[in-house]
Amino acid sequence: MTQPLILAIESSCDETAAAVVRGGTDVLSNVVSSQIESHKRFGGVVPEVASRHHVERITYVIDDALTEANVTIDDIDAIAVTEGPGLVGALLVGVSAAKALAFAHNKPLIGVHHIAGHIYANRLVQELEFPLVCLIASGGHTELIYMPEDGVYEVIGETRDDAAGEAYDKVARTLQLPYPGGPRIDQLAQTGQDTFHFPRVWLEKDSYDFSFSGLKSAVINAVHNAEQRGETIIPEDLAASFQASVVEVLVTKAVRAVKDKGGRQLLLAGGVAANKGLRQGLEAACAKEGIDLVIPPMHLCGDNAAMIGAAAIHPYRALRYSTLAMNAEPGLDLK
Amino acid sequence: MKIVAIDTSTKQLSVALSDGKQIVAEASYVTSLNHATKLMPLLERLMVEAKWTPAQLTRIVVADGPGSYTGLRIGATTAKTLAYTLGIELVAISTLELMAASTGHTGRVAAIQDARRGAGFVGVYDAGKRIGEEQHVEIASFVKTLTPDTLVTGDVEAFEEILQPFEKVAPAFRTPRAGVLALLGATRQTVEAHAFEPRYLRLAEAEAKWIEAQRHE
Ligand SMILES: [Zn+2]
């Protein structure tokens, strides 16, 4: 049986991306046009600016993805697109383009949840074994997801305030690091020591939820107090202390979820999956507990369309197609 | 020729098919609906009823603004993706020109879109020819530039007092029509699909502020 070819599109935030994926596992092309240089001057992603860039880039990116995969649109079996969550104006560009392609060539259209995409990025490197637990950490999300089988998602834990990535960005701003601050903190933390001993927030005993706003405030207070006393803060140590708190909580809860749920694998997904401190923490804990840990390579951690193509294969085979009335869903739930 | 025309730039959604000489089919939603969910099903329905297939299309005509930013992006992305993937021509026509043409009036017409806080997107057309530049302006100062014989169309109710001295287009002819767009676009110069962007006529707010801040430094 020949494996289906899926053309996937992702435009939920500040990357305009398209990819061609065969059978949900085989990446023939993965084109990402990043807007990060444009948003740097604003210190964060500006939705209206992001949406305008998506319109400029969208067909170039689609065309590059087909060319690099050495296929034409006629070879494609289905069009997949990120339906949500994300910035509504940004999502709408990808959704509009996907619908136009599906209509023009009479191909099935598949709406994909962005987080499902991040999870299935792992399937591009290793076959998934269910049941599994996935830790999602990104600028907008911190979630623990239990998957009893392919295509079935159960959110068992989520952040009650800031996402981990958000806390990183705010701490980076306090340290006046250039945007995007998350990777800079990770870099500084590599050479620093945990000297501040910031609190670890566990919430209720059996909860898989997270809370990072208290930690964020503790870091900001530490910086302000030092300023008032005329002391200098060693940024490397502050970064290392902040990261140690985040990583310990994420790793401990993720490992506990795998044990409680009888998971056969622990997956890491989302932009923060590129974080060295988190990778090292998870690797150490999983080695100790004998848990099969799957982490996508760096280039599949950030937003890309190959992950959307990977996640689309299950709904494609289950004939769960979308209609041309598909909308962008900025607050879409993972079901 | 088999032309598809799309306008999603204002709160109205309009789609039409044309053979280049006549309107073959045309449909509009005049009330404010979700363009994202309505555009493609409406286009598909017109195509099915006219027994046209996407592969037969020769040209896409789109109203490229100014207008609602989100609406513009839905129309522009749909139009440029269709033109690119079908390998056919793309034509962009000003939404303000379309509004003026949709009145059917052959004299001087000022098309006005409400952009809130007393401002609007405006364009003046005389017998189909543009007079001056289309712009984002204070409507109160804009009307001082109009000749008394100018007919006004568009969001005239939002500026009732200011526009009081001018004759208004009857409500039935105030909305842009894709059928008119298709005929306007039948003979116009084409644009390159990949590079095509809507004309917002205004910077994103954050960008305007950033440029302002640079100037002060
Ligand atoms: Zn993401």
Side-chain angles (χ1 to χ4, degrees):
Chain A
M1 188 182 96
T2 55
Q3 294 286 346
L5 269 188
I6 293 185
L7 170 64
I9 297 170
E10 148 69 35
S11 69
S12 66
C13 189
D14 62 341
E15 326 274 4
T16 319
V20 177
V21 180
R22 191 194 299 278
T25 54
D26 202 0
V27 182
L28 303 195
S29 65
N30 190 14
V31 178
V32 180
S33 169
S34 174
Q35 305 173 3
I36 202 159
E37 287 305 317
S38 172
H39 294 283
K40 248 182 191 162
R41 63 198 153 134
F42 308 119
V45 177
V46 176
E48 177 58 27
V49 174
S51 305
R52 290 185 182 195
H53 284 310
H54 285 308
V55 180
E56 290 166 28
R57 301 297 316 158
I58 190 75
T59 58
Y60 288 110
V61 167
I62 293 167
D63 197 45
D64 287 351
L66 290 169
T67 306
E68 277 181 33
N70 203 15
V71 298
T72 69
I73 191 78
D74 297 324
D75 301 320
I76 298 294
D77 294 296
I79 313 291
V81 64
T82 306
E83 199 176 358
L87 304 170
V88 65
L91 287 164
L92 273 173
V93 176
V95 167
S96 299
K99 289 202 286 190
L101 292 172
F103 168 72
H105 304 285
N106 197 23
K107 309 273 185 197
L109 177 69
I110 298 166
V112 174
H113 193 284
H114 181 77
I115 295 300
H118 277 302
I119 295 173
Y120 277 84
N122 286 285
R123 193 150 180 252
L124 298 170
V125 290
Q126 191 176 329
E127 194 45 57
L128 303 184
E129 287 173 45
F130 301 95
L132 60 79
V133 170
C134 186
L135 171 63
I136 316 280
S138 75
H141 300 269
T142 308
E143 282 165 23
L144 273 170
I145 290 158
Y146 171 63
M147 292 184 68
E149 57 184 285
D150 205 3
V152 180
Y153 312 89
E154 212 179 289
V155 180
I156 57 173
E158 60 199 336
T159 182
R160 294 190 187 167
D161 37 61
D162 297 351
E166 260 176 281
Y168 267 88
D169 285 342
K170 282 175 191 164
V171 169
R173 240 172 278 159
T174 308
L175 285 172
Q176 290 171 325
L177 300 174
Y179 173 85
R184 282 287 296 153
I185 296 219
D186 185 29
Q187 211 180 346
L188 288 174
Q190 298 303 311
T191 56
Q193 298 297 322
D194 180 3
T195 55
F196 287 85
H197 307 295
F198 290 124
R200 272 67 168 155
V201 180
W202 301 110
L203 303 170
E204 302 80 36
K205 193 177 158 291
D206 52 357
S207 173
Y208 295 119
D209 284 351
F210 304 97
S211 167
F212 294 106
S213 73
L215 171 62
K216 175 194 72 193
S217 307
V219 175
I220 293 168
N221 286 342
V223 172
H224 287 171
N225 291 344
E227 267 168 16
Q228 274 171 1
R229 289 198 295 265
E231 294 167 7
T232 46
I233 278 208
I234 301 167
E236 287 81 359
D237 288 349
L238 188 89
S241 304
F242 164 72
Q243 179 142 305
S245 172
V246 174
V247 168
E248 189 181 329
V249 173
L250 291 178
V251 168
T252 308
K253 294 211 176 204
V255 166
R256 181 159 59 81
V258 175
K259 289 208 267 185
D260 291 355
K261 293 281 180 184
R264 297 175 65 189
Q265 284 175 329
L266 174 59
L267 315 187
L268 180 60
V272 183
N275 182 292
K276 278 207 190 70
L278 181 57
R279 284 172 173 249
Q280 286 159 1
L282 279 172
E283 277 160 9
C286 289
K288 198 174 136 218
E289 301 286 344
I291 294 170
D292 182 12
L293 175 68
V294 188
I295 305 182
M298 292 292 192
H299 72 279
L300 294 174
C301 288
D303 290 349
N304 64 84
M307 68 185 201
I308 302 303
I313 198 71
H314 188 271
Y316 174 78
R317 290 198 170 121
L319 306 177
R320 264 193 294 181
Y321 301 159
S322 306
T323 71
L324 290 176
M326 183 205 278
N327 201 358
E329 304 286 352
L332 187 66
D333 284 332
L334 184 59
K335 289 192 283 260
Chain B
M1 274 188 122
K2 282 193 162 50
I3 301 174
V4 159
I6 293 169
D7 175 35
T8 55
S9 40
T10 65
K11 68 173 188 287
Q12 145 137 351
L13 165 67
S14 189
V15 180
L17 312 182
S18 165
D19 60 8
K21 295 190 183 73
Q22 311 224 27
I23 299 168
V24 173
E26 182 179 20
S28 300
Y29 293 116
V30 184
T31 47
S32 190
L33 286 167
N34 191 334
H35 293 355
T37 62
K38 299 288 175 194
L39 173 61
M40 292 310 291
L42 190 58
L43 173 59
E44 185 181 41
R45 194 172 141 197
L46 292 195
M47 297 268 292
V48 167
E49 283 172 7
K51 297 195 169 62
W52 287 18
T53 65
Q56 295 173 325
L57 296 178
T58 54
R59 177 175 280 212
I60 308 291
V61 185
V62 64
D64 70 347
S68 126
Y69 296 162
T70 299
L72 286 178
R73 278 191 283 272
I74 292 168
T77 305
T78 303
K80 75 189 278 185
T81 307
L82 285 174
Y84 148 69
T85 198
L86 293 168
I88 59 174
E89 295 171 337
L90 177 63
V91 168
I93 304 259
S94 156
T95 305
L96 294 166
E97 177 181 358
L98 172 61
M99 288 164 69
S102 296
T103 63
H105 185 63
T106 48
R108 190 168 280 222
V109 182
I112 299 174
Q113 289 178 11
D114 183 12
R116 274 175 246 145
R117 278 172 268 165
F121 294 111
V122 298
V124 180
Y125 285 82
D126 199 334
K129 284 200 69 174
R130 194 184 72 228
I131 308 296
E133 292 300 312
E134 295 186 347
Q135 50 187 327
H136 175 258
V137 284
E138 290 292 322
I139 298 302
S141 55
F142 168 67
V143 294
K144 292 185 188 134
T145 68
L146 296 178
T147 55
D149 61 335
T150 307
L151 192 67
V152 290
T153 188
D155 296 327
V156 298
E157 268 125 19
F159 305 100
E160 207 162 1
E161 236 165 90
I162 304 173
L163 295 175
Q164 199 265 324
F166 298 93
E167 194 189 333
K168 280 121 204 137
V169 175
F173 299 96
R174 270 181 215 161
T175 47
R177 284 179 46 202
V180 175
L181 180 66
L183 295 178
L184 282 176
T187 52
R188 291 287 172 91
Q189 190 111 57
T190 60
V191 294
E192 211 258 314
H194 280 308
F196 170 66
E197 292 168 47
R199 292 181 313 124
Y200 302 99
L201 289 197
R202 247 182 127 184
L203 291 171
E205 207 177 314
E207 203 153 26
K209 279 187 184 150
W210 180 81
I211 288 167
E212 188 64 23
Q214 299 298 299
R215 207 174 287 149
H216 286 295
E217 262 170 30

